[in-house]
Amino acid sequence: MFSLLRDLDPNLYTHRSYIVSGGDSFSASKAVDFERALETKWRHKQGTAPVPSTYDISVIPRARRIHQPLWTTPVSSLRCLVACFALLGPPRTKISLRSDINQHRTERLAPGTPPYTYPDLIIANGPATAVLVIAASLLLRFLKCRGTEGKMRTIYVESWARVNSLSLSGRILVACGMVDRMLVQWEDLSRKGLGDFIGALI
């Protein structure tokens, strides 16, 4: 996933939000590592620090845990969906982590910070939780909530392990037309019209 963002310009995308499922500390730590590497890379390349660049990491309940009984899945999925709405919608107080080469700290945005805007782009991968993040963004756009025009375009990155067919999450997103762009890592899937081939990202 982070391979897709390796050329990201922090001067253009000045704030980045990462959403991880509960218990997925590995992905959260990878996000911090990516931010540190991104800052170092751009300071080295440009000779100066990029524009003030911030990020935040949010944890939401899993839509479905491994081996969770199917009959309880609607409840946990609803809890996840509500959390997605809370994250995508304007927060009462915005908390961010400022990307810094020496330290990462939690801080409140200073007075005078521009009003919250919905995400410009959502890039997702993985199972059901990713589908619910996209579903929440789609519903907000459908309802034409104030400030959503031209926002929250979605990209889903299919797993490298999916060689001949899409995952259940991928099939749902494509069949329901929920995602703006589907990216696949095997050319056979692209030939079948199931997504745009981007090569292996691992």
Side-chain angles (χ1 to χ4, degrees), residues 126 131 156 158 166-175 179 182 194:
V131 175
Y156 184 81
E158 184 57 279
L166 297 179
S167 62
L168 177 59
S169 294
R171 293 198 299 271
I172 291 173
L173 292 172
V174 170
V179 68
M182 170 71 72
L194 298 177

Side-chain angles (χ1 to χ4, degrees), residues 82-140:
V82 170
C84 292
F85 280 119
L87 279 177
L88 293 175
R92 293 181 179 179
T93 304
K94 187 67 177 178
I95 304 296
S96 296
L97 292 176
R98 182 170 295 280
S99 177
D100 186 272
I101 192 171
N102 296 316
Q103 62 181 349
H104 293 257
R105 63 185 182 276
T106 302
E107 61 179 29
R108 294 178 187 275
L109 294 184
T113 299
Y116 172 83
T117 59
Y118 290 95
D120 293 308
L121 179 66
I122 297 173
I123 303 176
N125 73 336
T129 302
V131 175
L132 292 178
V133 172
I134 292 173
S137 70
L138 189 64
L139 185 56
L140 289 170

